[in-house]
């Protein structure tokens, strides 16, 4: 039975984002589907609002308590908008009927942008799949959900769980010491514009290439990005600070869960510029580091450490205004300061067979100088984002894929009329 009134504490992974997010750091990621026909915005808006009662963790607004932020039921109407060329902007929830997500349309594309306090890529994808499924049925198409569309099956309380707190057992904790990372620099675009370059690949070709090198797709792409930075940015080879690529891990792979809230942790691949790297050496280092960190026991220790901070009695009694200051300092020293950039691989999207003919393509994009990967219908899209006008790193990344014999297509979010920004 659905509750008419509910509220949640912001989950452990999401607590920091309300304090640190702003126009230049939006903490927003986006997921997109390209359909076979132009989007009807009226029906799309109806589809979003039809799905909201089913997706309780999304039907909320952010509130400030005395000690913590929390998420409270939101009964307002969600409004869809035409997509802006500047992607993954900070969501002004006060001007968005309180919602921490936005749905956009552009020609044949449906896009869901989500503030990270609300959910991760896995949870948001379930919401987008359900919105799109409902939209197609409103158009009159007869579809079978095959239990692959969450919005078509009964809700479960476990979908709303904060799995970090649920998994916490106050056992062994991991003490992680981090050194500062090398940071990219250069002239930036104006007005927080992020140039997005979509690298389209055939999934079977990319998978065969990764296997040829004895690594996974995630390991290959991580090593290639690091190598592109290493070869194209001379300063990265001279500094004592290492290149660090942060990679979110979907914890549902290790701890059974169907939560649609945040449930991911970062692992990292670290490359010291003082070492003379070949690409093969970077692949080896990447594979070794992934294997070391992708262990359930190690991940559980990190969950315990993160939640243990939240449960510290001294931390709990601090007023929210003081916590916000601590969050900002902590985010700088334990996130921004120790990361060069991030890669997030959402993996293959699962759709009902009856829905596949209407979905041409998909994209996954995370804000900042980051890289997002998603696969659908035998195609893999790598979305490379940059705030910097110098595109040498992206060009090196693409050249390497072409030299390996892959079929590559390129697209960007640049449109005419943006010359003042560029």
């Amino acid at each position: 039975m659905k509750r008419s009134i509910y509220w949640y504490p912001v989950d452990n992974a999401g607590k920091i984002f309300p304090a640190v997010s702003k126009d230049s750091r939006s903490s927003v990621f986006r997921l997109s589907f390209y359909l076979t026909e132009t989007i009807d915005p009226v029906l799309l808006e109806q589809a979003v609002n039809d799905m909201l009662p089913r997706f309780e963790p999304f039907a909320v607004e952010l509130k400030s308590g005395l000690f913590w932020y929390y998420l409270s039921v939101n009964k307002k109407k969600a409004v869809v908008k035409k997509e802006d060329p500047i992607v993954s902007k900070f969501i002004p929830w006060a001007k968005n009927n309180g919602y921490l997500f936005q749905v956009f349309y552009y020609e044949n594309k449906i896009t869901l942008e989500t503030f990270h306090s609300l959910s991760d890529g896995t949870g948001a994808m379930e919401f987008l799949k359900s919105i799109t499924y409902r939209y197609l049925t409103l158009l009159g198409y007869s579809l079978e959900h095959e239990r692959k569309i969450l919005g078509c099956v009964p809700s479960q309380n476990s979908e709303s769980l904060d799995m970090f707190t649920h998994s916490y057992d106050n056992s062994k904790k991991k003490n992680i010491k981090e050194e500062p990372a090398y940071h990219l620099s250069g002239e930036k675009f104006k007005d927080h514009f992020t140039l997005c370059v979509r690298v389209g690949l055939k999934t079977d070709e990319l998978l065969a290439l990764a296997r040829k090198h004895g690594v996974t797709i995630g390991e290959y792409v991580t090593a290639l990005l690091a190598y592109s930075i290493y070869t194209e940015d001379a300063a990265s080879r001279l500094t004592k600070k290492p290149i660090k690529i942060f990679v979110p891990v979907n914890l549902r792979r290790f701890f059974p869960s169907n939560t649609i809230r945040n449930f991911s942790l970062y692992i990292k691949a670290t490359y010291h510029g003082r070492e003379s790297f070949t690409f093969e050496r970077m692949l080896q280092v990447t594979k070794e580091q992934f294997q070391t960190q992708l262990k359930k026991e190690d991940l559980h220790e990190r969950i315990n450490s993160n939640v243990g901070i939240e449960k510290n009695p001294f931390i709990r009694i601090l007023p929210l205004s003081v916590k916000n200051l601590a969050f900002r300092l902590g985010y700088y020293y334990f996130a921004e300061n120790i990361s060069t950039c991030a890669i997030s691989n959402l993996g293959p999207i699962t759709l009902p067979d009856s829905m596949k003919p209407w979905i041409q393509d998909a994209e996954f994009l995370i804000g900042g100088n980051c890289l997002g990967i998603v696969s659908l219908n035998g195609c893999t899209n790598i979305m490379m984002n940059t705030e910097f006008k110098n595109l040498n790193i992206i060009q090196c990344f693409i050249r390497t894929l072409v030299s390996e014999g892959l079929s590559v297509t390129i697209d960007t979010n640049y449109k005419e009329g943006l010359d003042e920004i560029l």
Side-chain angles (χ1 to χ4, degrees):
M1 180 177 177
K2 300 295 291 182
R3 296 174 290 173
S4 58
I5 301 295
Y6 54 86
W7 69 277
Y8 306 111
V10 177
D11 60 51
N12 180 264
K15 277 184 165 60
I16 196 169
F17 295 113
V20 304
S21 300
K22 53 187 178 182
D23 286 344
S24 60
R25 189 200 299 122
S26 68
S27 306
V28 168
F29 62 91
R30 64 163 30 200
L31 297 162
S32 301
F33 279 149
Y34 288 81
L35 276 58
T36 55
E37 54 191 74
T38 303
I39 303 302
D40 181 332
V42 175
L43 290 183
L44 177 60
E45 187 166 284
Q46 181 180 341
V48 174
N49 286 283
D50 286 350
M51 283 294 103
L52 268 177
R54 169 61 180 80
F55 283 82
E56 201 174 83
F58 281 80
V60 294
E61 55 186 327
L62 187 69
K63 299 285 189 178
S64 300
L66 180 60
F67 299 105
W68 297 103
Y69 290 102
Y70 66 96
L71 301 168
S72 178
V73 61
N74 188 347
K75 296 289 187 179
K76 301 182 189 75
K77 180 181 179 181
V79 178
V80 304
K81 302 174 184 176
K82 189 172 183 178
E83 183 176 301
D84 190 284
I86 302 179
V87 301
S88 296
K89 292 192 295 185
F90 177 73
I91 296 177
W93 44 82
K95 299 179 181 179
N96 190 42
N97 283 350
Y99 287 107
L100 303 179
F101 70 88
Q102 290 185 319
V103 176
F104 298 98
Y105 64 94
Y106 180 77
E107 296 181 347
N108 65 326
K109 181 168 68 167
I110 298 174
T111 293
L112 170 66
E113 291 194 344
T114 306
F115 186 54
H116 230 318
S117 283
L118 200 60
S119 183
D120 57 18
T122 300
M125 177 53 73
E126 293 297 338
F127 190 36
L128 177 60
K129 284 165 57 176
S130 295
I131 289 170
T132 307
Y133 185 94
R134 177 58 179 158
Y135 171 75
L136 290 171
T137 62
L138 289 172
L139 285 174
Y141 298 120
S142 179
L143 306 176
E144 294 292 334
H145 61 78
E146 302 171 20
R147 300 192 68 81
K148 295 177 181 178
I149 302 297
L150 199 60
C152 296
V153 298
S155 62
Q156 302 177 44
N157 291 336
S158 54
E159 295 171 8
S160 304
L161 277 180
D162 176 355
M163 281 300 298
F164 293 98
T165 302
H166 185 73
S167 304
Y168 177 74
D169 64 8
N170 198 27
S171 62
K172 188 177 179 180
K173 300 176 182 178
K174 194 170 188 67
N175 183 20
I176 302 174
K177 294 183 179 180
E178 290 282 359
E179 59 184 320
Y182 176 72
H183 290 154
L184 303 173
S185 60
E187 184 182 1
K188 293 184 177 182
F189 300 116
K190 299 176 183 177
D191 300 329
H192 310 300
F193 178 79
T194 299
L195 182 67
C196 307
V197 178
R198 184 176 76 173
V199 183
L201 305 165
K202 294 180 179 178
T203 304
D204 57 352
E205 291 184 357
L206 180 59
L207 183 59
L209 175 61
R211 286 175 174 169
K212 183 182 79 171
H213 289 282
V215 296
T216 65
I217 288 177
E219 291 165 348
Y220 182 88
V221 173
T222 301
L224 179 53
L225 178 59
Y227 189 70
S228 299
I229 295 171
Y230 176 79
T231 56
E232 295 298 325
D233 190 339
S236 71
R237 302 190 297 274
L238 302 174
T239 180
K240 294 181 179 180
K241 295 179 179 179
I243 297 169
K244 289 188 181 183
I245 311 294
F246 274 46
V247 182
V249 176
N250 181 4
L251 293 174
R252 298 166 185 84
R253 293 167 45 195
F254 300 89
F255 305 87
S257 170
N258 65 339
T259 185
I260 55 175
R261 302 177 73 190
N262 284 300
F263 196 39
S264 58
L265 279 178
Y266 283 94
I267 62 170
K268 62 185 182 300
T270 303
Y271 314 88
H272 289 275
R274 296 184 296 275
E275 180 175 347
S276 181
F277 279 103
T278 63
F279 182 47
E280 288 300 326
R281 173 59 181 159
M282 271 194 166
L283 282 167
Q284 179 187 356
V285 168
T286 306
K287 182 176 181 178
E288 291 171 354
Q289 294 189 30
F290 272 49
Q291 290 178 343
T292 299
Q293 297 173 69
L294 287 175
K295 297 178 180 177
K296 182 175 181 178
E297 181 180 356
D298 186 81
L299 294 168
H300 201 182
E301 289 176 6
R302 291 180 57 197
I303 291 173
N304 292 338
S305 297
N306 291 347
V307 178
I309 295 172
E310 175 187 333
K311 289 184 174 293
N312 183 299
F314 175 72
I315 299 294
R316 293 179 68 178
I317 64 172
L318 291 176
L320 183 58
S321 58
V322 177
K323 285 191 177 82
N324 282 339
L325 178 59
F327 280 144
R328 294 182 190 113
L329 290 172
Y331 188 81
Y332 174 75
Y333 285 106
F334 300 109
E336 280 189 328
N337 193 43
I338 62 173
S339 171
T340 303
C341 55
I343 290 176
S344 187
N345 184 3
L346 197 60
I349 299 171
T350 303
L351 294 174
D353 288 340
S354 62
M355 193 175 173
K356 290 178 182 178
W358 311 110
I359 312 296
Q360 290 182 325
D361 209 350
E363 293 176 348
F364 174 40
L365 185 152
I366 50 180
N369 299 293
C370 299
L371 186 153
I373 311 170
V374 70
S375 300
L376 179 69
N377 296 337
C379 297
T380 296
N381 284 326
I382 301 177
M383 300 294 294
M384 304 187 71
N385 311 333
T386 182
E387 301 170 299
F388 300 108
K389 294 184 178 182
N390 188 328
L391 303 181
N392 287 352
I393 292 171
I394 293 177
Q395 290 168 345
C396 177
F397 185 96
I398 295 171
R399 280 198 310 270
T400 303
L401 294 173
V402 173
S403 69
E404 291 275 17
L406 271 61
S407 306
V408 179
T409 60
I410 307 296
D411 196 7
T412 78
N413 65 326
Y414 173 78
K415 297 179 177 64
E416 292 184 9
L418 297 182
D419 295 320
E420 290 187 4
I421 295 175
L422 301 179

